[in-house]
Amino acid sequence: VLGTLAGIERAAWRLEDTLRLEDRRAAMAEGLAPHLVSAARVERADLLAAMGRWREAAAELDQVESHDRRAAESPSARLVRAHLARSRGDLGLAQRTLALVRETAGPGARLRVRIECHLLASDVTLAGGDVAAAEREALDAMRLSGVLGERSARSRSRVRRVHALLAADRVDEAAVEARRALADAGATRPELQAHAGLALARAVWRRRPADAARVCRVVAERSHARAGFHAVALFGEALAGGAPAETVLDRLGAVEAWGDRRVLAYCLTELRHGRVFGQPLAVADAPASVTATAASVDPLTRALLDAAHAMAGGGPWAERWVEAVRALGPVLPWRRAAFVGVPGVELRRDDEHARPLAASDLARLVVARSGGRRVIPLAADAELRLHPTRALLGLAAAVLAPAGEGWLYFDLEESHADVSEGLVAVVGELGRLLERFAPDPNPAPAEVEPAGVAGLVGGSDRMRLLFETIARAARFDMTVHVCGETGTGKERVAHALHQRSARAPRPFVAVNASSLSDELFESEMFGHLRGSFTGAVADREGHVAAAEGGTLFLDEITDLSPRAQAKLLRLLEAKEYRRVGESRTRTADVRFVTASNVPLEQRVAEGRFRADLMYRLQRMVLSVPPLRERGDDVLLLARHFLRRAAGRSGVPLPALAGDAERALRAHAWPGNVRELENAMDRLVVIGATGRVRRQDLAPALQAPPTPAADSLREAIRGFEREHIARVLRRHGGNRSRTACLLGLTRQALVAKISRLGIVTEGLE
């Protein structure tokens, strides 16, 4: 009962009352059972994190871990850990914790857990600079929120997408999405209104500053219950309203005091966009004590000798450089090290391997503004102080040294701001070592990301043909049916059609038709009015309205009941529908894309699908080949998934050894691309580094290919495919004559063509 009451209070954003109820709940659980105490403490930690009391939340989780290891490793506890790591700018820990949540929860996790994972992943990937991945995560959260029917989660998902769209400079789309987030927030959730309102203000202020200032003013008036929203709203009002720079920076200080470094980075991004830092600001110099102590000589000397030994050793320059900068770790607690030159590389503290240095990296800006100085207090320079990376990672100072044609760069956290003269001298010596052992100015080109279409990767002939067909079909606003085995990427094909069409700026809504029973079909698809049936406590828009102007993707279309098929046929023919309980007819401006893992002709022949609906859906059919028929695409996709998983988790990229590649090629992949993606994600989670051998793969992938039955079946499929294609060519693609010669009905021939993936284009 106390837990339910706490949930009600939290929904109303009465957080102090919620905390008191959680305290009572934890005290009562003490006399009952240990697992109840742990559950109460995890809820309390989540609440404290929402209130911005980060240290108390972390201490609460530490208590759980010390008494109940199992509860500390639950998805909910790990989500709170990841949220705390994200808030303090520790992106590597946040990524690794999130990967553990996804690994332990698995694909069958509760929808709410999966939604929270996508929301947090959107934040983390955007903070790491992967805008496209951040938008994909937000869209995935939005899709699951639609399945759950929870508008609050959909509002939060839309806010994440707003941030990703703004990072991609798609300002108009961001404004539209922010207004939808505000509409989804409703009138009863003030914290959601504040969240969406701030996103709307951020989206509109670049074009209409006065409107943004008004929105921030309203948010500030209504968000006193949460200091973070209130501080951001006051900052936004001052920035958009053209307040003096001193006022803007004072209000920025309140945001920084709140403690969420990701939110601070958003504010600094807008501050840099507004070029407030270009004005003369009264910024106090950061304390930079430079003192030499005799006691530091020996450790510094040892560190320099270790660095010299590393640079003089064998192996590639990048590996020797990593060892050299790590040698300074005991005396210089750097967060990142970089070589600003050609090639530019960086090493993060938790990484094992260096990575290319981005053109817009903070290190390049620091070197450009250094003026020959060796120690740069980042807070003493207005532009550097207001850089999002400095705020996100909590950096205080940078140490530089010339290194031949480039510069050696170390940055220090706020807790390690003091730099001694001896340490500066050692960094200078390391720079001279780098000059002596200079990197190759013409390094081998980096591995190119495999080509594809909107998230689809492949180089086989059948995939290239599919890409070309998608590009052609996207230009025409017709219904498309996608056929392919489970896990081949049918939804990605549908999304690619949407992204390449004129409807791309509008929503893409994905619905699993197998979840639409007779009782739910009309309500889920068309929406309903309040009071139209038992349980209809509020008006609800359906999937068709949510996809207005965009694309509605219906997966597993063959699982619809006969009654639902009839209603869908009416919608496709008339493009009209009515919400349950409503008399007014609405018009649907939606493009329909459907999918199934078996050919529609097969279901029609079995009497489980309407023939007239099949003809309506199959105006254009796209066949997605199974992975086992895509040749070297297996290795192409494996490397692609490894690269993506390693990037998200902030770990070095593993390489596939020859025996591992042969095992991947030999596997039948009954789960297709989805199975391969999971297998590569597993390698990153278990910590596979260097070269991945066959024994590192999952046991199912290490087994030799199954002989006899499977091999024979594939041989029969191959012969059947080639023979039917040969007879089709002989008769100019005429299916009736081909079917007669083969002893089949025309309907059965069409089903075989679809199932076997026979390309008939150009035969007729």
Side-chain angles (χ1 to χ4, degrees):
V1 171
L2 287 173
T4 303
L5 289 173
I8 295 172
E9 293 296 320
R10 183 166 180 176
W13 209 245
R14 294 188 286 268
L15 301 186
E16 293 296 340
D17 293 339
T18 309
L19 185 59
R20 282 191 288 272
L21 287 168
E22 289 291 359
D23 289 341
R24 288 179 57 194
R25 179 187 175 196
M28 184 176 291
E30 290 284 355
L32 298 175
H35 72 278
L36 296 178
V37 178
S38 300
R41 285 190 178 278
V42 170
E43 290 288 343
R44 193 172 187 277
D46 188 31
L47 177 62
L48 290 168
M51 298 173 71
R53 294 160 63 172
W54 319 110
R55 292 183 179 177
E56 293 178 63
E60 199 74 25
L61 288 178
D62 290 341
Q63 286 283 341
V64 174
E65 188 168 6
S66 63
H67 292 90
D68 190 344
R69 185 74 179 180
R70 183 174 180 181
E73 294 176 352
S74 66
S76 54
R78 280 176 168 159
L79 275 173
V80 180
R81 285 279 191 200
H83 177 65
L84 293 175
R86 180 204 63 84
S87 299
R88 61 175 177 261
D90 195 341
L91 303 183
L93 178 59
Q95 288 174 324
R96 291 191 294 274
T97 307
L98 188 58
L100 284 174
V101 174
R102 285 175 159 166
E103 175 71 12
T104 55
R110 292 186 300 116
L111 278 181
R112 281 189 174 82
V113 172
R114 294 167 62 189
I115 291 171
E116 291 300 324
C117 285
H118 285 303
L119 292 176
L120 187 56
S122 181
D123 283 341
V124 173
T125 52
L126 184 57
D130 194 341
V131 178
E135 185 181 6
R136 283 197 302 271
E137 296 286 358
L139 289 170
D140 286 341
M142 199 184 308
R143 174 177 56 83
L144 292 177
S145 302
V147 174
L148 190 61
E150 189 171 288
R151 295 181 65 179
S152 61
R154 186 166 58 191
S155 176
R156 296 165 62 209
S157 306
R158 292 190 190 280
V159 168
R160 263 64 174 196
R161 186 169 185 242
V162 169
H163 296 316
L165 291 172
L166 288 174
D169 204 27
R170 293 155 60 185
V171 180
D172 293 333
E173 294 179 63
V176 172
E177 194 72 351
R179 290 189 177 90
R180 290 175 179 164
L182 196 57
D184 281 335
T188 60
R189 296 289 297 272
E191 86 286 359
L192 286 179
Q193 286 184 321
H195 199 193
L198 291 175
L200 176 61
R202 190 181 178 211
V204 302
W205 97 269
R206 303 187 187 191
R207 305 278 174 86
R208 299 186 300 279
D211 291 348
R214 282 195 294 272
V215 173
C216 287
R217 193 175 306 118
V218 172
V219 173
E221 292 170 355
R222 300 179 180 179
S223 60
H224 289 282
R226 181 167 182 181
F229 285 151
H230 187 66
V232 174
L234 291 178
F235 165 78
E237 182 185 5
L239 181 63
E246 292 79 4
T247 303
V248 174
L249 291 180
D250 284 343
R251 295 187 176 182
L252 181 65
V255 177
E256 188 167 8
W258 163 249
D260 192 324
R261 293 194 177 275
R262 185 68 192 123
V263 173
L264 179 62
Y266 287 142
C267 293
L268 290 174
T269 299
E270 299 310 318
L271 191 63
R272 290 172 62 81
H273 176 81
R275 300 191 183 279
V276 173
F277 59 81
Q279 304 178 20
L281 303 177
V283 182
D285 288 348
S289 59
V290 181
T291 57
T293 59
S296 64
V297 174
D298 288 341
L300 291 177
T301 303
R302 286 197 297 270
L304 182 59
L305 289 174
D306 290 341
H309 183 267
M311 288 306 302
W317 178 87
E319 294 181 5
R320 289 183 282 127
W321 179 81
V322 167
E323 292 185 24
V325 296
R326 283 199 184 283
L328 296 190
V331 293
L332 182 70
W334 48 269
R335 181 71 179 261
R336 294 188 313 150
F339 175 74
V340 183
V342 180
V345 293
E346 70 155 333
L347 177 69
R348 300 178 186 179
R349 183 174 57 195
D350 296 331
D351 287 356
E352 293 185 11
H353 301 283
R355 65 180 75 192
L357 186 67
S360 58
D361 193 272
L362 174 64
R364 296 189 186 277
L365 182 60
V366 170
V367 169
R369 299 177 65 87
S370 66
R373 290 177 294 165
R374 302 299 178 90
V375 181
I376 313 295
L378 299 179
D381 184 292
E383 185 173 358
L384 299 178
R385 174 176 179 265
L386 302 176
H387 196 285
T389 300
R390 189 207 73 81
L392 182 65
L393 300 179
L395 305 178
V399 184
L400 304 177
E405 298 297 323
W407 283 81
L408 182 63
Y409 165 96
F410 293 93
D411 56 31
L412 308 179
E413 294 180 346
E414 293 168 347
S415 58
H416 302 285
D418 295 344
V419 184
S420 70
E421 291 179 349
L423 186 54
V424 173
V426 169
V427 173
E429 289 297 328
L430 182 57
R432 283 185 278 276
L433 279 173
L434 291 180
E435 182 177 2
R436 180 180 177 185
F437 299 98
D440 182 3
N442 299 305
E447 184 179 355
V448 179
E449 181 76 8
V453 175
L456 293 166
V457 176
S460 63
D461 292 342
R462 294 187 64 184
M463 289 303 293
R464 291 183 184 277
L465 178 61
L466 178 62
F467 297 155
E468 295 172 4
T469 309
I470 289 173
R472 289 196 298 268
R475 298 197 298 266
F476 301 95
D477 203 25
M478 65 171 64
T479 303
V480 175
H481 181 69
V482 185
C483 186
E485 295 180 8
T486 299
T488 52
K490 298 185 289 297
E491 183 171 344
R492 291 185 180 272
V493 171
H495 199 267
L497 283 168
H498 172 73
Q499 292 285 58
R500 296 178 70 91
S501 72
R503 295 179 178 268
R506 306 297 295 170
F508 174 84
V509 178
V511 181
N512 193 316
S514 61
S515 65
L516 301 176
S517 62
D518 283 344
E519 295 77 13
L520 293 176
F521 183 84
E522 286 186 285
S523 173
E524 292 289 324
M525 288 289 290
F526 306 148
H528 61 253
L529 296 182
R530 178 182 177 182
S532 55
F533 55 86
T534 302
V537 296
D539 291 354
R540 183 182 187 279
E541 72 173 14
H543 298 309
V544 177
E548 183 67 19
T551 303
L552 180 59
F553 172 61
L554 296 174
D555 198 7
E556 304 302 340
I557 193 70
T558 54
D559 289 344
L560 284 179
S561 67
R563 182 181 174 191
Q565 291 176 33
K567 294 173 183 176
L568 177 60
L569 178 61
R570 169 65 182 168
L571 175 63
L572 292 171
E573 290 178 340
K575 290 296 180 73
E576 293 179 348
Y577 68 98
R578 284 186 297 184
R579 292 199 293 177
V580 178
E582 186 178 56
S583 58
R584 180 167 68 92
T585 300
R586 299 170 180 261
T587 302
D589 178 20
V590 174
R591 179 184 192 173
F592 290 90
V593 179
T594 61
S596 64
N597 56 13
V598 293
L600 296 183
E601 293 87 354
Q602 179 178 332
R603 290 291 185 253
V604 171
E606 296 170 355
R608 297 169 56 185
F609 202 77
R610 295 175 62 112
D612 49 357
L613 179 57
M614 176 189 70
Y615 297 132
R616 171 67 64 177
L617 297 177
Q618 287 193 329
R619 291 185 173 181
M620 182 74 181
V621 180
L622 299 179
S623 295
V624 187
L627 185 56
R628 60 182 172 276
E629 297 178 7
R630 291 175 54 180
D632 288 336
D633 279 0
V634 173
L635 302 182
L636 194 69
L637 283 163
R639 297 188 187 102
H640 169 71
F641 291 138
L642 272 177
R643 187 183 306 110
R644 190 174 69 179
R648 286 182 177 179
S649 302
V651 299
L653 175 65
L656 294 171
D659 58 347
E661 291 184 349
R662 288 190 292 273
L664 296 178
R665 284 293 308 269
H667 189 59
W669 300 110
N672 289 295
V673 178
R674 186 181 298 126
E675 182 185 359
L676 176 60
E677 181 177 8
N678 293 338
M680 297 303 102
D681 286 348
R682 173 189 171 276
L683 289 176
V684 172
V685 170
I686 66 175
T689 57
R691 296 188 68 78
V692 176
R693 310 290 301 183
R694 184 188 190 112
Q695 57 266 28
D696 297 325
L697 301 175
L701 303 181
Q702 298 179 30
T706 52
D710 283 351
S711 300
L712 179 60
R713 183 169 66 249
E714 290 304 314
I716 293 173
R717 283 173 60 90
F719 171 78
E720 198 173 8
R721 184 187 304 111
E722 294 175 5
H723 183 64
I724 293 175
R726 185 166 52 250
V727 177
L728 275 168
R729 285 194 295 270
R730 187 187 310 161
H731 291 282
N734 188 300
R735 298 184 180 186
S736 298
R737 279 183 286 178
T738 300
C740 182
L741 182 65
L742 294 174
L744 301 171
T745 65
R746 189 180 189 280
Q747 194 174 37
L749 175 63
V750 170
K752 283 182 175 292
I753 290 173
S754 178
R755 185 174 69 255
L756 297 172
I758 299 173
V759 179
T760 60
E761 188 172 339
L763 296 179
E764 301 186 58

